[in-house]
Amino acid sequence: QRCMELDPYDGRAWLAMAKLYERKKQLSTAKETLAKGLKLSPSNPFLLQALGVLEERAGDASQARRWYTAATRADPNHAAAWVSLGNLAQRQGQLDRARDFFTTATQRDPSNYYGWQCLAVLEGKRGDVPAARRHFERCAAANPDNAAMWQAWGVMEARVGDAEAAAAKFREGTRVSPNNSYVLQAWAVLEWRRGRRAEAEDLFRRAMRARPADGGVYQAHAVLLGQAGRLEEAREIFQRGAAAAPRHAALWQAWGVLEASAGNISAARAAFQEGVWACGEAAAGARAGGGAGARRADALWLAWGQLEARAGDLPTARTCFARAVEAATAAGRGPAAAHLAWALAEERAGERARALELLEAAVRLAPESLSAWAALQALVERMHGQDSDQARDVFRRRVIADLKAKSGKASDDSADSSLGRVGDASASVRGSAETADGGPPLLGRLRSGSLPTAG
């Protein structure tokens, strides 16, 4: 506050104050703070990008794109804004655009190690391993103490089958960050999959000691035990994880999936129900403007809905899918994925008209979603024929949506016109770039609701 009084045009004070509000879960106030700072310094790229992050995490991709684009216009060398545009494009399935944005970030600021990391990860996913390695090398040269980079590099090497190279990267990651549970977990998974179970168990124990409340570590270990047929041991690890991280929705989801795969439908339902109860406060927090656990509650409800649909209990499945939509909307994730799964269940039950309604809702809510458009196109073709007027209409709308996304039409609005739209957001101002991407593999909340146990 004193910094603002001394120099209200210095955006750093506004940004720091917004982060303080975010940590206190006063997210609408955080957005309002950034907006006030922008009224005084409308061309501050840091404030513009921070508002974009808030909007994206609140589920408004178009508005986020406006802010990110405004930041690049205010300062074409602001690499973080280019990276944010790249991450947004990547999440929307626009990999070519994402690569262009990441490349621009590294060209504008070759010292931006996170830009190199994002570019490397993307190239690895696209299958251009030599390019990915070159980018990882540039990232390491820019910041050799970036543990997230070593973890991401190791994961890529493991994926292409070079276990020794992967282990070397993970080893380097633990050198720079000895208690990094993400690196330890990824390394443990690698050793497990190449048959070195004792080494893997030791690494899992190290990860659990480093971060006893990291539910993802317990989840990964339990999933591997389940895949090996060691169900009782897997259940024991799940139980320990649930006690250590009771609001880790993905852990409950994985536990339920394990039980369902083993044919224990009642136990699967119980795991999903316990997860819903345990994560209730987090979901309520999301509706108020925050709560990391709630951002995964939609996946928990989704898995439960899929279980009930496969079991033939469509009414209960519909209730679960509706809760998934509610949880996703409350957490700002967007419910398109829930609509897709729900539509599939409806079509399998012979309810094609309802499936069509759900897919139309999905493309309306997420017009940039390639999977939603593909599902809608396929359903309409099954219903009316590939050369039908209805199929051609869907294709036409899909092309228009794609062109709008690629042209960045939504970004043409000025930043000033967006200032009046600042409101609640289930989001947080971006913190360390190292924690923003490249999470570990095998990482896949409501006493606000429960369902009766069926069957």
Side-chain angles (χ1 to χ4, degrees), residues 31 51-61 64 295 328-334 423-428:
K31 289 184 67 177
L51 262 176
V53 171
L54 288 173
E55 293 293 357
E56 184 178 354
R57 294 185 181 176
D60 193 339
R295 291 198 290 272
T329 302
R333 286 167 58 86
D424 275 343
S426 302
S428 60

Side-chain angles (χ1 to χ4, degrees), residues 82-83 86-87 90 98-106 115 118-119 122:
W82 291 109
V83 171
N87 282 327
Q90 185 172 210
R99 181 168 58 179
D100 290 342
F101 287 132
F102 292 145
T103 299
T104 300
T106 58
C118 290
L119 185 56
L122 177 61

Side-chain angles (χ1 to χ4, degrees), residues 301-317:
W301 283 111
L302 196 56
W304 194 352
Q306 290 170 324
L307 171 70
E308 299 298 350
R310 286 192 296 269
D313 189 350
L314 190 58
T316 302

Side-chain angles (χ1 to χ4, degrees), residues 145-232:
D145 295 330
N146 177 10
M149 179 270 299
W150 293 113
Q151 188 257 3
W153 195 348
V155 168
M156 187 202 72
E157 296 293 355
R159 189 169 58 245
V160 300
D162 194 339
E164 289 302 324
K169 307 311 176 191
F170 295 143
R171 191 174 295 109
E172 189 64 20
T174 58
R175 184 190 66 79
V176 301
S177 182
N179 294 320
N180 189 301
S181 63
Y182 295 98
V183 179
L184 291 167
Q185 176 190 321
W187 193 357
V189 171
L190 170 73
E191 298 300 347
W192 183 283
R193 287 178 172 165
R194 62 175 178 164
R196 302 176 63 176
R197 301 294 171 83
E199 291 85 347
E201 295 280 6
D202 180 64
L203 288 164
F204 275 125
R205 284 192 291 269
R206 284 177 59 187
M208 291 173 188
R209 287 195 300 269
R211 287 187 66 199
D214 186 345
V217 175
Y218 297 93
Q219 177 192 345
H221 193 188
V223 167
L224 291 173
L225 287 167
Q227 291 172 350
R230 296 160 60 177
L231 297 183
E232 289 305 317

